[in-house]
């Protein structure tokens, strides 16, 4: 039975790794290293809960763990600097499409939101979860989840409007 459990878990992780990593990256404000750590922590918790949730909704369980862990970890004041020996080459002009630029800009603005608002917006609009599922994942009433989402979207609109450069 242990090998069957491991095989099912491995299949789930293989199938959903990239989507879960992207979710974790959005929840951590774009920090890939923190996102990888966060996802590893969530998958360890999923492994131990696999007998209970493996047949039901493992992805929902991981989303809940990710959202709560991201909110908890964002309360830390300092994550440390990561010095490098050599600066990266600047990007070449015109080598990225407008869609990639817009997505990068949006992710940067998402990183400026408070952790719970960011989690609510990401779960509601990126993961396309209904409000009641967002509330369950965040562990709050539906009204609070709705309020967090609305405030997060309003703040995103404000940040994006402020960041738009005037056309000359």
């Amino acid at each position: 039975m242990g090998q069957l459990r491991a095989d099912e878990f491995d299949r789930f992780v293989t199938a959903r790794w990239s989507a879960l990593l992207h979710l974790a990256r959005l929840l951590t404000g774009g920090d890939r290293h923190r996102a990888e750590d966060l996802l590893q922590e969530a998958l360890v918790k999923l492994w131990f809960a696999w007998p209970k949730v493996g047949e039901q909704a493992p992805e929902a369980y991981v989303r809940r763990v990710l959202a709560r862990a991201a909110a908890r970890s964002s309360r830390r004041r300092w994550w440390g600097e990561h010095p490098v020996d050599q600066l990266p080459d600047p990007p070449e002009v015109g080598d990225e499409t407008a869609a990639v630029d817009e997505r990068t800009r949006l992710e940067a603005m998402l990183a400026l939101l408070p952790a719970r608002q960011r989690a609510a917006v990401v779960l509601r609009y990126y993961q396309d979860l209904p409000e009641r599922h967002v509330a369950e994942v965040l562990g709050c009433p539906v009204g609070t989840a709705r309020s967090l989402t609305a405030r997060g979207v309003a703040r995103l609109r404000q940040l994006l409007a402020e960041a738009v450069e005037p056309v000359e």
Side-chain angles (χ1 to χ4, degrees):
M1 173 132 160
Q3 186 60 35
L4 179 61
R5 173 184 172 202
D7 289 343
E8 290 172 355
F9 180 81
D10 289 346
R11 279 194 296 276
F12 170 78
V13 171
T14 301
R16 300 304 302 154
W17 174 264
S18 62
L20 291 171
L21 180 60
H22 189 69
L23 172 61
R25 203 169 132 242
L26 290 173
L27 290 171
T28 59
D31 186 337
R32 182 174 176 88
H33 299 292
R34 276 184 54 208
E36 288 174 348
D37 291 344
L38 193 69
L39 182 54
Q40 287 295 330
E41 177 185 334
L43 291 176
V44 166
K45 289 181 180 181
L46 175 63
W47 170 256
F48 290 108
W50 189 258
K52 295 177 192 171
V53 299
E55 294 291 324
Q56 297 169 357
E59 190 158 355
Y61 180 86
V62 172
R63 271 197 303 262
R64 177 180 290 184
V65 171
L66 284 173
R68 288 181 178 176
R72 191 175 51 251
S73 71
S74 70
R75 292 184 195 121
R76 288 185 180 172
R77 294 184 182 262
W78 185 70
W79 279 92
E81 295 179 15
H82 302 286
V84 294
D85 293 331
Q86 197 172 31
L87 292 175
D89 294 332
E92 294 181 22
V93 177
D95 65 338
E96 295 181 299
T97 64
V100 172
D101 288 339
E102 187 64 21
R103 185 171 53 234
T104 302
R105 186 170 153 245
L106 183 59
E107 286 179 2
M109 296 301 136
L110 267 172
L112 299 175
L113 294 178
R116 285 181 50 91
Q117 283 182 6
R118 181 173 52 238
V121 169
V122 168
L123 292 169
R124 180 70 177 105
Y125 295 107
Y126 174 74
Q127 290 286 300
D128 200 26
L129 294 179
E131 291 172 339
R132 106 181 128 79
H133 289 299
V134 173
E136 287 174 13
V137 168
L138 295 177
C140 64
V142 174
T144 303
R146 190 177 296 139
S147 174
L148 287 168
T149 303
R151 288 181 184 152
V153 169
R155 181 69 178 137
L156 269 179
R157 285 186 180 131
Q158 178 186 7
L159 290 169
L160 290 169
E162 291 170 359
V164 173
E165 298 175 14
V167 178
E168 295 177 18

